[in-house]
Amino acid sequence: MFEMIQAGGWLMLPILLCSVIALAIVGERFWTLQQTRIAPNYLVAQVWQWYKNQSLDETQLQSLSRNSPLGRILAAGLVNRQHPRDIMKESIEETGRQVVLELERYLNTLGTIASITPLLGLLGTVIGMIKVFAAITTEGVGNPSVLAGGISEALITTAAGLSVAIPSLIFYRYFRGKVEILVLKMEEEAMKVVDVMHGDRETGQDTAA
């Protein structure tokens, strides 16, 4: 492995750095973007029980806000539960935008890695071919060993760049889709609370779902 990295030239260092960063982001996002951590299924039913029992106070709202991103969104709306529906919905949407930014954290970096690593590999290819032609100019084509270094550098950096870019792009697309699904789930759950508290939805199975 070390010999391959050495043969690839100095451009292997940023490619390897990109691979380490991408791996760290993928692991962190897999841990963070779990539905049970983002939008627990029991949360809306619990909030409704607190509201129905008139036990919803500041302490519970603070606990709800710390519970999960969905809890934070619900707490933002519940703070304004005495106000009209539009104000409650607006506060939910404002907090929701902040939550979405947090869910998308590091994804731009992952997308950037997916974009630049093939370019780094291509740059390595160009540098390797320049070395090949320079060797041909000075040594001719009679000694293959003189050309081998430039050719191997060209091929190794290209392969390394693609090896990092392809999985990075796959996971970038996967996490973007997962964030969209989680956002839709949180929006649906938050609107249940708004509609029930303002009489636009019947209580029962919809709230307990």
Side-chain angles (χ1 to χ4, degrees):
M1 177 63 72
F2 178 76
E3 290 78 7
M4 184 176 294
I5 294 172
Q6 191 174 28
W10 64 269
L11 277 171
M12 288 294 291
L13 295 178
I15 292 174
L16 286 173
L17 179 61
C18 286
S19 70
V20 172
I21 295 173
L23 185 61
I25 292 173
V26 169
E28 191 274 341
R29 289 291 89 185
F30 263 122
W31 172 256
T32 301
L33 297 178
Q34 300 177 52
Q35 182 168 328
T36 54
R37 297 172 61 88
I38 303 298
N41 292 325
Y42 65 86
L43 206 54
V44 172
Q46 185 180 64
V47 168
W48 174 244
Q49 288 298 322
W50 289 342
Y51 180 76
K52 188 170 63 174
N53 297 333
Q54 297 182 345
S55 60
L56 197 59
D57 55 22
E58 186 65 28
T59 301
Q60 286 182 329
L61 287 178
Q62 291 179 0
S63 175
L64 181 64
S65 181
R66 293 191 296 266
N67 175 277
S68 62
L70 175 59
R72 182 179 167 189
I73 292 173
L74 295 178
L78 292 170
V79 168
N80 296 288
R81 61 189 179 277
Q82 305 300 332
H83 295 282
R85 185 182 190 277
D86 290 344
I87 294 178
M88 189 175 179
K89 184 178 178 181
E90 182 180 344
S91 63
I92 285 175
E93 290 175 347
E94 182 178 348
T95 303
R97 285 191 290 269
Q98 298 173 4
V99 168
V100 170
L101 289 176
E102 294 177 2
L103 295 182
E104 293 178 342
R105 183 182 299 169
Y106 307 129
L107 292 188
N108 283 338
T109 302
L110 188 60
T112 301
I113 289 172
S115 298
I116 67 172
T117 45
L119 298 178
L120 290 171
L122 179 60
L123 179 58
T125 300
V126 172
I127 292 174
M129 296 309 296
I130 289 173
K131 290 181 178 179
V132 168
F133 287 114
I136 291 174
T137 301
T138 57
E139 302 289 338
V141 295
N143 187 0
S145 63
V146 176
L147 309 178
I151 294 174
S152 64
E153 180 175 343
L155 296 177
I156 289 171
T157 54
T158 300
L162 292 175
S163 297
V164 175
I166 292 171
S168 296
L169 181 59
I170 291 172
F171 283 115
Y172 171 75
R173 296 291 188 185
Y174 170 76
F175 288 128
R176 294 287 293 189
K178 190 172 182 66
V179 167
E180 290 179 5
I181 292 172
L182 289 171
V183 168
L184 289 175
K185 171 74 173 176
M186 290 189 293
E187 181 180 353
E188 179 184 357
E189 297 294 285
M191 288 303 102
K192 284 181 184 179
V193 173
V194 173
D195 292 344
V196 168
M197 289 188 175
H198 287 276
D200 297 327
R201 185 193 293 263
E202 295 293 329
T203 62
Q205 290 185 349
D206 283 342
T207 308

